[in-house]
Structures are given as structure tokens and as C-alpha cells.
Amino acid sequence: MTRTRMDIAALGGPWSDTMEWYARAVGELRSRPFDDRTSWVYIGALHGIDRPGWIAQGIVPSTIPWPVPGPLSDRYNQCQHAGWFFLPWHRGYLFALEAILADWIAREGGPEDWALPYWNYLDDTNPDARDIPQEFLDPTMPDGSANPLADALRGPATRLGPQSWIPADITLSAQTSETVYTAIPGTLGYGGPISGYSQFGNGYGANESNPHNLVHVMIGGDNSSAPQGWMYDPNFAALDPIFWLHHCNVDRLWEAWMSDPTHVQEIGAAWRNGPFPTQFTMPDPAGSLWVFVPDETLPGAPLAPTYDSLTSGTGIAPAAASGTIVMVTTTSPPAGGGRAALVGASSAALTVTRSPVHTSIRMTDLSPSALGVAASAAGPATGRLYLNLEGVKGKSPSGVVNVILTAPGADPNAAGPDATRTVALFGLANATSAEGPHGGSGLSATIEITDIVRNLQTANPDELEAHVALPEGGGDSEITIERISIYARRDQ
Amino acid sequence: MRRFVAFAVQGQSGPLPALLAISVLAYALLSLLPEGGFVASLCGNLTIGAVWFYISAVPWSWAVGPLAADWGLMIVAMMTPLVAPQVARIVWASRRERQLIAAAIFLLGYWAIWFLTIVVLFPAAMFVTWVFGPDLDLVAALAVALVWSASPLAQRARNLCHRTRPIRAFGPGVLIDSAQRGLSVGASCIAACWPWMLVPIAVQSVHVATMILVGAYLFADRIAPPAPATWRLPPAFETLCGSSRPWLRFRFGTRFGQIRQFNLSRRTGRLVPRQH
């Protein structure tokens, strides 16, 4: 039996059979206690749990045991972010929940092949694609009972897109701009830089940055209320039923990206075997635990999903060329070739508030030819430039910052929207805490700035200026950035 | 075993091979010294009487130099492989022409602060020998080290060891930041590992072999990821098991070593494993 994940917009909703069963099954899992490994709260805690916050919001009773004694306690807070295990870990996570839901649905007389739907929010053929599906907004189900899918704390947005607190849009740029899975440090890759077992590692991949992080922040945040919406905080996010449809789409984007024969999926031994020694652990429908490695999530492997389409809303053209896909063996680093070097950095940490602050970025040589971003008689430019926000820390569960790059002394307000980059920092507080399992290193975010630098008119080739601020409509929770750096990558 | 192999593959990248080479060289130098060196001749014999004998019978200028050199070699041999992620971070955060010097300054800072622990650890070893006697001091040192490794304080220190920070890329800031990172990582490392240094000091023979074993244990302790600071099984055991939950099974079995090829179905738009 093959489960096929379908676009929620193609299910004939609102309240298609698939969604009604999803809502009923979520309601059932919510009725199960925390110590039941198939309960909604237990599965949510696998992603992340803030025990005091959960108790304060009435999600769990204050009597839940904590910390769970012995090595069993490290099942919680497993989610892998800001590193190269983000995509495979979440694929295994989706598989585990889907199996538990489907098991209950089948036993209740529902479809044997029930599968999680996905939210195809970047389908440009559907004008309503970005709207939060109606099933997650209705207070009641068609039979008049309370709707478990709407039972979540969210921000005010009902449609994905630029908001006052996050002036950026979701795009499919990651699907085509990054052709290699593993990022060379300081640059972007589709799946992120090499990392170990880390709930919040050292750098987001392109897919994780956009659309994953942006969707989390758009749905969960408005930075004006406390607490924030669940999707805004990795310690609450998986409690929101819309999380799973969002992640199904993120997962589908990865599957579609792999289907492009020009893309290089990482399948080196270190990636395929997962982090060492800690392993990814999931519950099955009987409540037993099992472990998996990323190798089991690749196409054709047991945890690989089936989607009704890999082309609709994925940015990947239908059946390109021969239609033959080859998983290219790569090792790291650097996967897929290319090399990168530090070409500029700031020298002092920044404290970012709503009032823009700026810092000088000293460059080795800013001329486009030196940076490899200028076309020449020999052919088009092969170099790309990336700006890194390193050691980003803050108390808010997630954060948003605007970065404008200018010539020294230039007015950032005159730079125009093309020179502005908005970065969503999902999981900021978790990555900042030195008390928890994150070491307190903070986050690093990488954004491509090749076009900005190419278009800069500057008389001083040794310096750039970065202007950083929290968005006007956002909260005022302070964010610190230890260093801003620029790396140049030359693809081979 | 497959997972150990995969870890070894992962370790091939980055600075770990170079750091291991430095460590092996230091071990080799120690093993070439007569009786394993001056420190080794004291080890397992750190009674007040023995130390008084050395102080009174051996000229001060003769004793301090070899003692410092041996202790330094011990530190370099045992502690260098533990900081591969931090060295990697220092390297990629530096301009290409400064990478080597930045890494070297970091290591010097790291070794230097470790070196200073001789002032505390030798008296501590003497204290253990004085309390438990020369027959039980090894057992006592091991017990102290294991209990410490299981404690929340040690886990908090290990978490700090995992912390990475950027450095300045231009001017003298490169050297200052590299040294400061080396010192701070070293301080955290001392907080996490200090009782384990009592173990090789407590053995009377096979001194270098004991150092290698303790060094391997500390390496296994360090490669486990950061974790909440609670009482726990020392993370080295997790590493040595190759899993945090060795009793759990793979649900589907792994397909390690297999390279897959796929066809994209024009009809369904799905990836289909290619039939061989």
C-alpha cells in the first residue's frame, strides 16, 4: 500500500475526507497523556519542549515528571535545525506522526491509505494558495464539534506574505539557486553546512531559510504579544496542526529538488549514517521507539514519502531532459566542488534594536573582478558572495532582522529594496541558551549578496557598511550579532 | 561498527587528523623518555616524602625543566584532539593567509592554561594519595573522575567547551581573539576534565598507556553533543556504545554503502528506483 501525500488545495475542501480524518485523529492524540508516546504532546516534545511554558499555557499538567531520569530524557528536543540534518530528521518525524495518525484512522474505519496532506503555498497557479487553509481557522468541524486543527496559538496573519514584522516574502529561490546540498562554511547550500547532532547548529541551509523559517515566523509571530504563536517557537511549533502540513511541503520541496538531475544531493557516509553517537529516535503506533539514519530517508528508502506532484509549486520543471535521476555520490567538504574564502569581516559586535545600527566591514578587495562576481571575456561570473551574521543571540524564541549593505557613509534609506535582506532567525532563544543543550553559540545566518555588491558604486574598495535593524512593525527584543562576515565562493 | 567507520570518515575532514598527529607525536616523545619521563617517575608515588626527596635531592634547576616539559607533553598528547571543532571554527573564520597562525595561537592559549593546572593537580594528587594511600589512590581518582563526569557541573562545562565564537579577521585582533578563545575553551575543558588528569598521575607503571586510555576516554566524552546540565551517564559511554540508545533497533535496517539511481516518471512526476 502506498500512501500518497496530496496538495490540500486539490482535496476538494474545505473539510475534505482527508482533512476531516486528520482533525479527528489530532483530537484523539490530544486526548492521550504525556507519558503515552503516541500522544500529541509527546510527539510535540520530540521537536522541542519548554516545560514551564507548556504548563503556563495549560498544554500539560504541572505534574509531568521532569527531567525524566536517565538517558531516556534526551528523546525530547531532538529537532535538527541550522545544519545538514534538518531535512532528513524532519522527514523521519513526518513519517512517525503519519504512521501513528494513519494507524488510528484505519482502526476507526477511515481510509487505509490515509496520508498527511501538504500545504502548497507557493503554487502560483492558485491565487488562494498562500491563505491558511480554512480547516485551520474554523472553530468547529462540519459536525459542529470543536475543531482540533484550530486549537493553536497563532499570530494574526491569515495569509503568507510580507508582514510589518517580517518585510520579506516566501520564494522558491532555494530550489534553483543552490545546486549542491552541503554548504561550504560561510556560504549557502541547499541543505545546510556540515553539523553534528544539534537542535540548533551553526547555519541554515537555503531551504530552511526560505521558505521554512519565514513560514514559521509569519504564522506564529507578530512580535507584539506574549506569548508568541506556537509556530514562532521551536519549543511549541509541532503542537500546531498546521506545522505538519507546512513541513510536508518543505519535505516535498526537497524531494523535488533531488529530482533535478543537475542538483547534487549529499550522500557521503558521514551524512547517510547521521550524527554520532546520538541518534534520531521516533515512536511507532504501538508506542515503541525506533531509530533511523538519514540514509533511510533518501528516495526509494523506507522513510521516503510519495507526493502527488513534484512540480506544482516547487520551482522544478516537469521531467527535464532524459528524465533520469542519478544520485551523485559526494563527500564533504566541499560537496559538489567549489571553494570559499573569507573576504571581509566586521571587527565589533552589534546590538540590534529598532533604531538602525551600522558597522564597517573591512574587505580584502572589493573590486568585482577580485571577488569573482564580474563577467569577463572568458565568460560569465562564476563567483558568488555571501554575507554571514555570526553568533546571533537574543531572548525571543525567533527573531527577524533587516540588513542593508551600502558603500561607506551612504544613506541606507536610499539603497532601495533590492539592497535589503530580511533574515528570519527561527529558534533564536534556544540557540542562545548556554544552560541547555545548545552550548550558547547562537545562530548563524547566510544570505547571498552577489547582486548587491556587483551593483554597488563605491570609491573605497576596502570597505562596506552593513546597516542592521529590527523591522519597524516588530517587537523590540534586542538581538546581538558577534560578527558580520563576507565569503566569496567560486564554483568549479 | 558501521557507525564508528562513518564517524572516522567524518573525522577525516577538518583539522582532526592534524591534531591527532600532534597528539601522537607528543605520546611518542613521552614514550621515548627514560621511564616515561620525570612526571612518570613521580606518578603513583606522589607522597609528601617522595616529593620532599625530589625537592631536596634534585637540584631545583634540574627538576623544574624536565617536570614542566613532561607535563607539557602530557597536556599536548591528551588534550589536543578534543578541540577539533573549535580549531575548525577558528580556521574558517580567518582569512586564508592567517589561518595557520590563528590556529597555532589558539592552541598555544589552550595548552598554556592547561599547563598551569600543574599547580593545582599535583597537590590534589598528593592529597588523594595521602588520604587513600598508594594502593587505593588510583581507585579513588577513577571514582572521583567518573562521579564528576556524571555531574551537572561537568555537563555545564562540556556545553561551554562546545561553544564556538567568531574572531576578528583583520589586524592584531586575529591574534588576540585566537588566544582569548584558546584560553576560554581551555578553562572550560579544565572544568570538564580535571579529575581525569589525576588518573594517570596515580598509576605507577604503564604511565603512557594509561594516558592514551584516558585521552581516548576524554575524546569520547567530548564528541557527544551538548546536553541539559543534569546528572547523567557520562557521555563517553554513549559514544563507546555508538548510540545513546543501543537497545533500540533500526526499524527498517540501513542500506549503508548502496548508491541508488532513480528515474523520474513522466506520468506521475515521482522518483522511482531504477531497476538493475
Side-chain angles (χ1 to χ4, degrees):
Chain A
M1 179 185 60
T2 301
R3 300 187 192 284
T4 301
R5 295 180 184 166
M6 307 278 289
D7 181 352
I8 187 173
L11 290 172
W15 292 113
S16 62
D17 198 37
T18 298
M19 288 305 294
E20 199 163 335
W21 277 110
Y22 180 47
R24 290 184 59 196
V26 169
E28 162 61 22
L29 265 57
R30 278 198 159 138
S31 71
R32 299 177 183 175
F34 186 74
D35 57 4
D36 180 341
R37 289 171 181 158
T38 64
S39 69
W40 191 252
V41 281
Y42 178 88
I43 294 167
L46 291 179
H47 191 272
I49 177 171
D50 163 17
R51 182 176 181 265
W54 282 32
I55 291 170
Q57 292 194 34
I59 296 164
V60 291
S62 60
T63 51
I64 63 165
W66 194 268
V68 177
L72 301 183
S73 61
D74 61 8
R75 285 179 210 141
Y76 307 134
N77 298 313
Q78 271 190 64
C79 67
Q80 303 290 299
H81 286 275
W84 68 345
F85 294 127
F86 163 72
L87 288 164
W89 184 86
H90 282 85
R91 179 165 281 190
Y93 193 40
L94 289 167
F95 179 95
L97 178 86
E98 186 175 65
I100 291 168
L101 292 173
D103 175 70
W104 182 84
I105 289 168
R107 283 192 284 111
E108 289 294 308
E112 293 280 337
D113 60 350
W114 184 90
L116 279 167
Y118 62 87
W119 180 11
N120 190 6
Y121 36 69
L122 283 163
D123 176 10
D124 58 8
T125 65
N126 175 9
D128 301 325
R130 288 160 172 257
D131 293 342
I132 292 181
Q134 194 60 38
E135 293 90 336
F136 294 90
L137 302 174
D138 290 342
T140 57
M141 291 175 54
D143 64 2
S145 60
N147 177 13
L149 303 184
D151 183 11
L153 189 61
R154 299 192 186 115
T158 56
R159 182 177 171 82
L160 298 177
Q163 324 274 342
S164 60
W165 65 89
I166 179 163
D169 203 1
I170 50 173
T171 69
L172 289 169
S173 61
Q175 295 298 100
T176 48
S177 66
E178 296 303 329
T179 59
V180 177
Y181 185 91
T182 301
I184 303 168
T187 73
L188 268 179
Y190 185 78
I194 295 169
S195 59
Y197 182 96
S198 181
Q199 197 187 17
F200 284 90
N202 213 25
Y204 299 117
N207 171 304
E208 189 177 2
S209 292
N210 184 2
H212 168 266
N213 286 0
L214 289 172
V215 170
H216 268 283
V217 173
M218 285 171 181
I219 294 177
D222 67 2
N223 279 342
S224 62
S225 65
Q228 295 280 8
W230 289 351
M231 284 283 278
Y232 194 76
D233 187 339
N235 293 335
F236 288 83
L239 296 172
D240 188 336
I242 206 168
F243 168 97
W244 301 92
L245 274 69
H246 165 42
H247 267 278
C248 273
N249 198 45
V250 168
D251 185 76
R252 188 180 68 103
L253 292 174
W254 179 31
E255 188 79 356
W257 180 87
M258 284 192 280
S259 76
D260 187 319
T262 65
H263 293 167
V264 182
Q265 168 61 37
E266 173 69 55
I267 49 172
W271 183 87
R272 293 166 64 198
N273 267 274
F276 183 93
T278 306
Q279 290 181 285
F280 305 147
T281 308
M282 293 293 157
D284 69 10
S288 301
L289 292 172
W290 51 280
V291 293
F292 73 96
V293 292
D295 190 45
E296 293 171 305
T297 67
L298 288 172
L303 299 179
T306 302
Y307 291 100
D308 62 347
S309 171
L310 292 180
T311 55
S312 169
T314 65
I316 302 298
S322 66
T324 299
I325 310 303
V326 179
M327 285 283 177
V328 180
T329 307
T330 63
T331 54
S332 53
R339 55 194 172 87
L342 179 77
V343 294
S346 63
S347 57
L350 279 181
T351 299
V352 183
T353 62
R354 280 192 195 171
S355 302
V357 290
H358 62 90
T359 187
S360 168
I361 300 178
R362 186 171 163 186
M363 303 290 295
T364 52
D365 185 349
L366 192 55
S367 64
S369 57
L371 297 173
V373 296
S376 67
T382 58
R384 295 166 76 176
L385 292 174
Y386 298 88
L387 182 138
N388 287 260
L389 306 177
E390 299 180 36
V392 186
K393 298 178 185 175
K395 292 179 180 171
S396 178
S398 295
V400 181
V401 293
N402 284 334
V403 183
I404 301 175
L405 212 56
T406 68
D411 178 7
N413 297 315
D418 289 344
T420 304
R421 294 286 186 271
T422 299
V423 182
L425 302 155
F426 182 61
L428 182 63
N430 277 6
T432 300
S433 170
E435 297 298 313
H438 310 290
S441 299
L443 285 171
S444 288
T446 306
I447 43 182
E448 183 168 0
I449 55 167
T450 310
D451 289 342
I452 297 177
V453 173
R454 190 180 287 147
N455 297 329
L456 268 181
Q457 301 295 322
T458 176
N460 181 357
D462 300 326
E463 194 176 341
L464 283 175
E465 206 158 77
H467 306 261
V468 191
L470 305 180
E472 288 282 335
D476 52 7
S477 182
E478 190 174 282
I479 290 175
T480 59
I481 301 171
E482 291 199 46
R483 187 175 88 155
I484 299 178
S485 60
I486 296 179
Y487 283 76
R489 187 178 86 192
R490 289 175 191 262
D491 295 328
Q492 291 172 340
Chain B
M1 182 54 71
R2 272 190 316 219
R3 288 177 49 72
F4 283 106
V5 171
F7 174 73
V9 171
Q10 193 165 2
Q12 286 174 6
S13 60
L16 185 57
L19 298 180
L20 282 173
I22 293 171
S23 172
V24 168
L25 184 63
Y27 278 126
L29 286 172
L30 275 171
S31 58
L32 288 175
L33 294 171
E35 299 180 14
F38 195 84
V39 172
S41 66
L42 286 173
C43 289
N45 194 27
L46 267 178
T47 62
I48 293 173
V51 172
W52 177 249
F53 167 78
Y54 280 105
I55 289 174
S56 58
V58 180
W60 182 244
S61 58
W62 291 8
V64 171
L67 181 67
D70 292 357
W71 180 249
L73 281 175
M74 275 183 71
I75 296 301
V76 172
M78 296 174 70
M79 298 303 164
T80 304
L82 306 191
V83 287
Q86 283 70 30
V87 173
R89 185 72 170 84
I90 291 282
V91 167
W92 84 257
S94 306
R95 286 182 292 143
R96 195 162 283 160
E97 61 272 25
R98 292 294 193 95
Q99 287 174 340
L100 197 59
I101 186 72
I105 295 287
F106 170 88
L107 283 172
L108 285 174
Y110 174 71
W111 290 330
I113 194 165
W114 254 115
F115 181 80
L116 295 177
T117 58
I118 190 171
V119 178
V120 177
L121 288 178
F122 267 65
M126 284 171 60
F127 178 76
V128 170
T129 307
W130 176 63
V131 171
F132 295 97
D135 295 332
L136 285 176
D137 59 347
L138 176 59
V139 176
L142 264 175
V144 168
L146 282 170
V147 170
W148 177 257
S149 285
S151 72
L153 285 174
Q155 186 57 51
R156 185 161 289 138
R158 281 191 295 268
N159 288 350
L160 290 175
C161 292
H162 286 284
R163 181 186 288 187
T164 56
R165 295 186 64 188
I167 60 169
R168 283 173 283 180
F170 294 91
V174 180
L175 308 182
I176 295 168
D177 288 358
S178 299
Q180 192 269 331
R181 298 288 181 273
L183 290 169
S184 62
V185 170
S188 304
C189 191
I190 290 165
C193 307
W194 66 269
W196 284 100
M197 291 305 281
L198 300 178
V199 174
I201 296 175
V203 294
Q204 295 183 10
S205 57
V206 290
H207 181 67
V208 174
T210 308
M211 283 168 49
I212 292 171
L213 281 176
V214 171
Y217 175 92
L218 293 176
F219 182 75
D221 226 28
R222 189 60 53 82
I223 64 172
T230 56
W231 285 100
R232 59 169 296 176
L233 197 66
F237 292 96
E238 178 182 335
T239 304
L240 295 173
C241 289
S243 167
S244 52
R245 290 165 282 270
W247 56 89
L248 295 181
R249 299 287 176 197
F250 284 96
R251 183 166 181 174
F252 305 101
T254 56
R255 286 168 164 70
F256 187 78
Q258 181 180 332
I259 305 300
R260 296 190 202 86
Q261 294 184 318
F262 302 89
N263 293 327
L264 180 66
S265 164
R266 290 175 188 274
R267 187 175 59 81
T268 64
R270 296 174 192 159
L271 294 175
V272 180
R274 183 188 285 179
Q275 301 299 317
H276 293 282

